[in-house]
Amino acid sequence: MTASKIFRKNIVALCGGVGGAKLALGLSHVLPPEQLTIVVNTGDDFEHLGLKICPDLDTVLYTLAGVNNPETGWGRAEETWSCMEVLEALGSETWFKLGDKDLALHLERAHMLASGQSLSAVTSHFCKQLGVSANVVPMSDDPVRTMIETPEGVLSFQHYFVKEQCAPCVEGFHFEGVTAAHANRAFLNALDDPNLGGIIFCPSNPFVSIGPILELPSIRERIGSLRAPRIAISPIIGGRAVKGPAAKMMHELDLPVSSLAVATHYKGLLDGLIIDQVDASEKVEIERHMASLVCPTLMNTLRDRIDLARSSLDFLKDLT
Ligand code: FO1
């Protein structure tokens, strides 16, 4: 029996969109729901067409519910686009695509938020309605906005990511609202839990997915001084990011595009880094900073996601 099958402690997973959601799904298959808290980045959130858009939260929710669109990585499977077509005919903004089914969730979220419910309460309601038993929590109920510093000026995350297709050169980041934001109570409670078995940084973008979570007041310090082991899965495989602009950002920030650079970035916050087999030659250098585990990290199938979740739990156990 592998260690993960007898893992009795609670796990906190920090997660962004696509890559994070894949590992979160794997973890949800190997841990009972009460042992897993999935803390999701909300720095990508923005207001659009009068609606609050929460891309990473929705990607995690749809993935765990099995209704995600595997081709785009965002939105719902078997989507239709009637509302978008009418919006286009009305001369509305259409650079950010919201499918009909996805829009229904956004309308209900807007309605619930307007009635005074928190983003956490709305997320927990959606989880229940979509049959997701894992504990999915937004990193904060307060607005935090990831801003991308470029030579053309400061761009909001979705402007940079979707409208500009990540083309502008990245010079830095800041997170509007983060110093005034409160980390989610469920997140803080999970970190303080005496039965915490470890924290997993999913293979999400270190700067714009995990970064905003770490910048919340007290979070970096709490994780830095945690007794339970802390690991990350490198989002860089063979000098490339599986999805998204992480590799391009590292290059533009004059960092080597490698798992070693990911280890250096997280130094002081981690006890171990999981790297892919293709990067096995970096193991020795990484181990100057922290422990490392070499295993397959590409998650194409559900089996891959479950295997990586198991490897992560086994690694945490080894580091305990
Ligand atoms: N990403 C795109 O590249 N184009 C889109 O039109 C788009 C729409 C969209 C709608 C809802 C949603 O939850 C996510 C959406 N995304 C879209 C993804 C989004 O920009 C995410 O921030 C990224 O995937 C990064 O995590």
Side-chain angles (χ1 to χ4, degrees), residues 44 53 55-56 58 74 95-98 102 157-158 161-162:
D44 291 13
I53 319 284
D56 287 355
D58 292 350
W74 49 267
W95 60 273
F96 193 83
K97 309 273 180 250
L98 290 165
D102 198 18
F157 183 77
Q158 295 302 335
F161 190 92
V162 179

Side-chain angles (χ1 to χ4, degrees), residues 206-207 234 236 250 255-267 273 282 286 289:
F207 310 105
S234 173
I236 300 296
M250 291 174 94
L255 297 168
V257 185
S258 66
S259 292
L260 175 60
V262 173
T264 311
H265 177 78
Y266 285 137
K267 206 173 160 191
L273 183 70
E282 292 178 41
I286 289 171
H289 306 290

Side-chain angles (χ1 to χ4, degrees), residues 117-138:
Q117 301 198 51
S118 67
L119 184 61
S120 298
V122 176
T123 305
S124 149
H125 169 75
F126 286 159
C127 282
K128 199 162 158 234
Q129 292 304 120
L130 292 178
V132 172
S133 50
N135 191 18
V136 179
V137 302

Side-chain angles (χ1 to χ4, degrees), residues 142-183:
D142 303 317
V144 176
R145 297 292 174 260
T146 296
M147 307 301 287
I148 312 290
E149 297 159 13
T150 80
E152 289 112 273
V154 176
L155 303 175
S156 66
F157 183 77
Q158 295 302 335
H159 191 125
Y160 161 80
F161 190 92
V162 179
K163 209 171 189 179
E164 301 293 335
Q165 299 283 295
C166 306
C169 182
V170 170
E171 292 179 332
F173 316 94
H174 61 269
F175 308 105
E176 267 180 23
V178 78
T179 49
H182 297 88

